[in-house]
C-alpha cells in the first residue's frame, strides 16, 4: 500500500529525472550524483537523495563506487531516439496536470471538472497563457501522434477515397501517411492552432495537402469522401462531442465516411489500465472521457450517424467507421 500511496512522489521523481535530461546523460555511462548535478546545474545533495529513491523503484542502479547507471526501465525515459515516453511523462507529471489530479476528491464530491474548479478556466485556455506548459503539451502530442499510424494504415483501406479531411489533425501525421501511401488521395488538414498555417508539407505530398484553420464547433470543410477524428472526441464531454460530430455530419455528403480513431475500450483479457488511466486524465483535465462502444453508438446516433463498424488494429487504437444515417 505504501508503494501505491507514494505514487505522487514517484511521479515527481520521474518528472525531475526526465526534465533534467538525466536519462540521456546516463546513457553515456555511470555517473556520480555530483557530476550529474554539475551537468544539470542542480543541487548535488537533493539530487543524490532523489536518485537513491529512484534506485528503489528500478529506474537507476547504484554501483559500489556510488555511481548511478540506467536500468532497462530507466532507459525508456531517454528522449533519443524516440521521445514519446519522455515527452508524455513530462506531460502526465506537469504542473498543470498536478493541480487537477490533486483535486480528484473535490471532483468526485461535486462532479465538477477538477481543472476548472481550481483555475477558473479550461485547460486549453490556460495553455494559451502558459508557453512553457503549452510546449510540454505540444511535444507530448506530436511525439504520440506517430503511435499506431502503421497499424491504422494496415487495418483500413483508404484507397477508396479521393479526398480526406483530417479534423483537428494537429500536424497531420496520419493524413500524411495516407497521402504518401495512396497517390490519388487529396488531403485537407483542418485545425484551430496557429501552427496550421506554418505547416511545411513533405515534398512527396505537398501538391495534394491543403491546410485550413478553423474551429470545429462552428464549421468543418465540406464535400470530402472521408472525415478523420483521431484522438479528438475523448477530449470533450458528450454534449461537446455531439456538436463536433454534427458539424462533421453537416459537412459530409451522404456517401462519405466518418472514421473515429481512439484508444480501444478494454478487450477480453486486457486489464484496461491504460484506458482507465487516460479516462481519469480526460475527466480531471478537460472534462472529456474515454468511451465504450455503446457510448460511441449513443453520441453517433444523437448526431445523425449510423451504428459504427468496429475495426481493431494491432495498436492500442480502434477505428469506428460510420456514415450519415
Ligand atoms: C490531441 S490533439 C490530436 C491531433 C491529431 N488528431 C492527432 O491524432 O495527432 C487535439 C487537436 O485538436 C485541436 N483542436 C482543439 N480545439 C479545436 C477546435 N475548437 N477546432 C479545431 N481544432 C481544435 C488542437 O489544436 C489539437 O491539434
Amino acid at each position: 500500500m505504501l508503494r501505491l500511496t507514494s505514487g505522487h512522489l514517484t511521479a515527481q521523481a520521474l518528472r525531475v529525472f526526465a526534465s533534467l535530461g538525466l536519462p540521456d546523460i546516463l546513457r553515456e555511462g555511470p555517473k556520480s550524483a555530483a557530476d550529474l548535478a554539475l551537468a544539470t546545474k542542480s543541487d548535488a545533495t537533493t539530487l543524490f537523495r532523489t536518485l537513491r529513491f529512484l534506485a528503489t523503484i528500478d529506474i537507476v542502479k547504484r554501483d559500489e563506487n556510488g555511481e548511478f547507471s540506467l536500468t532497462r526501465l530507466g532507459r525508456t525515459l531517454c528522449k533519443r531516439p524516440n521521445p514519446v515516453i519522455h515527452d508524455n511523462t513530462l506531460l502526465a507529471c506537469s504542473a498543470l496536470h498536478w493541480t487537477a489530479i490533486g483535486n480528484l476528491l473535490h471532483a468526485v464530491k461535486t462532479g465538477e471538472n477538477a481543472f476548472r474548479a481550481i483555475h477558473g478556466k479550461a485547460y486549453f485556455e490556460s495553455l494559451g497563457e502558459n508557453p512553457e506548459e503549452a510546449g510540454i503539451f505540444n511535444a507530448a502530442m506530436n511525439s504520440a501522434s506517430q503511435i499506431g499510424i502503421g497499424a491504422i494504415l494496415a487495418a483500413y483501406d483508404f484507397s477508396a477515397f479521393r479526398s480526406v479531411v483530417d479534423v483537428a489533425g494537429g500536424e497531420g501525421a496520419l493524413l500524411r501517411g495516407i497521402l504518401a501511401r495512396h497517390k490519388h488521395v487529396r488531403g485537407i488538414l483542418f485545425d484551430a492552432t496557429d501552427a496550421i498555417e506554418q505547416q511545411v508539407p513533405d515534398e512527396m505530398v505537398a501538391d495534394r495537402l491543403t491546410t485550413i484553420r478553423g474551429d470545429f464547433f462552428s464549421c468543418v470543410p465540406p464535400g470530402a469522401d472521408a472525415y478523420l477524428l483521431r484522438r479528438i472526441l475523448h477530449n470533450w464531454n458528450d454534449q461537446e462531442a455531439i456538436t463536433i460530430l454534427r458539424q462533421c455530419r453537416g459537412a459530409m455528403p451522404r456517401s462519405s465516411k466518418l472514421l473515429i480513431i481512439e484508444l480501444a475500450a478494454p478487450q477480453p483479457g486486457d486489464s484496461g489500465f491504460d484506458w482507465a488511466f487516460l479516462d481519469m486524465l480526460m475527466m480531471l483535465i478537460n472534462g472529456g472521457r474515454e468511451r465504450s462502444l455503446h457510448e460511441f453508438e449513443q453520441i453517433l446516433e444523437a448526431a445523425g450517424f449510423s451504428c459504427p463498424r468496429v475495426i481493431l488494429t494491432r495498436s492500442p487504437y480502434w477505428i469506428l467507421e460510420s456514415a450519415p444515417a
Side-chain angles (χ1 to χ4, degrees):
M1 184 48 69
L2 182 59
R3 288 206 174 246
L4 292 178
T5 53
S6 61
H8 57 338
L9 200 50
T10 301
Q12 288 304 314
L14 290 171
R15 175 191 182 197
V16 168
F17 190 60
S19 69
L20 292 180
L22 293 169
D24 289 281
I25 298 175
L26 285 174
R27 257 179 102 107
E28 290 154 19
K31 301 242 172 337
S32 68
D35 285 346
L36 291 169
L38 208 60
T40 57
K41 299 191 177 59
S42 314
D43 179 73
T45 306
T46 313
L47 181 59
F48 167 73
R49 291 164 70 181
T50 303
L51 289 167
R52 186 171 57 185
F53 174 71
L54 286 169
T56 69
I57 54 168
D58 192 33
I59 301 300
V60 291
K61 273 190 310 230
R62 194 171 163 218
D63 64 23
E64 56 286 0
N65 306 322
E67 292 190 324
F68 292 94
S69 59
L70 274 185
T71 62
R72 190 157 168 258
L73 183 61
R75 189 173 282 265
T76 64
L77 285 168
C78 287
K79 198 162 167 65
R80 290 183 311 271
N82 183 347
V84 67
I85 295 179
H86 173 275
D87 292 351
N88 282 277
T89 298
L90 290 190
L91 178 63
C93 308
S94 66
L96 286 183
H97 275 50
W98 191 243
T99 53
I101 292 167
N103 207 22
L104 174 60
L105 183 60
H106 175 81
V108 169
K109 282 184 165 174
T110 62
E112 290 174 18
N113 171 240
F115 188 91
R116 191 181 276 278
I118 286 207
H119 295 276
K121 58 182 82 159
Y123 175 65
F124 284 118
E125 224 177 304
S126 295
L127 281 189
E129 295 161 7
N130 190 330
E132 193 182 335
E133 290 284 317
I136 293 171
F137 176 81
N138 290 335
M141 289 306 115
N142 292 340
S143 54
S145 74
Q146 299 300 329
I147 297 177
I149 289 187
I152 293 163
L153 292 175
Y156 191 87
D157 181 12
F158 291 89
S159 70
F161 305 128
R162 281 159 302 137
S163 51
V164 176
V165 179
D166 195 352
V167 180
E171 296 206 326
L174 175 59
L175 184 61
R176 287 169 207 280
I178 295 170
L179 299 194
R181 185 177 271 220
H182 302 292
K183 308 284 183 256
H184 64 283
V185 181
R186 307 189 74 79
I188 294 177
L189 181 57
F190 176 75
D191 201 287
T193 169
D194 303 347
I196 191 88
E197 277 146 9
Q198 290 126 42
Q199 292 283 334
V200 186
D202 347 349
E203 253 172 49
M204 211 161 103
V205 301
D207 57 336
R208 291 179 287 125
L209 184 67
T210 311
T211 55
I212 300 181
R213 186 170 173 202
D215 172 8
F216 52 37
F217 287 113
S218 45
C219 72
V220 167
D225 297 334
Y227 286 76
L228 307 177
L229 277 172
R230 185 172 73 133
R231 305 191 303 143
I232 300 303
L233 295 179
H234 77 157
N235 284 317
W236 305 95
N237 67 31
D238 283 353
Q239 218 35 58
E240 293 160 334
I242 291 168
T243 305
I244 297 166
L245 288 170
R246 283 200 178 126
Q247 287 298 339
C248 292
R249 172 71 187 80
M252 288 170 67
R254 283 204 79 80
S255 59
S256 82
K257 294 275 192 275
L258 176 77
L259 300 169
I260 296 172
I261 301 168
E262 291 280 2
L263 202 60
Q267 303 297 307
D270 176 354
S271 79
F273 178 84
D274 295 8
W275 191 79
F277 162 75
L278 211 58
D279 180 58
M280 291 291 284
L281 276 191
M282 291 303 132
M283 174 177 79
L284 293 167
I285 310 293
N286 314 311
R289 63 188 310 135
E290 297 304 319
R291 292 182 174 87
S292 65
L293 181 56
H294 181 60
E295 288 164 339
F296 273 115
E297 286 167 353
Q298 287 177 320
I299 57 169
L300 281 166
E301 189 186 352
F305 284 98
S306 65
C307 195
R309 177 167 79 97
V310 180
I311 299 128
L312 294 175
T313 71
R314 58 175 161 75
S315 76
Y317 297 105
W318 62 11
I319 305 170
L320 305 182
E321 182 200 60
S322 185

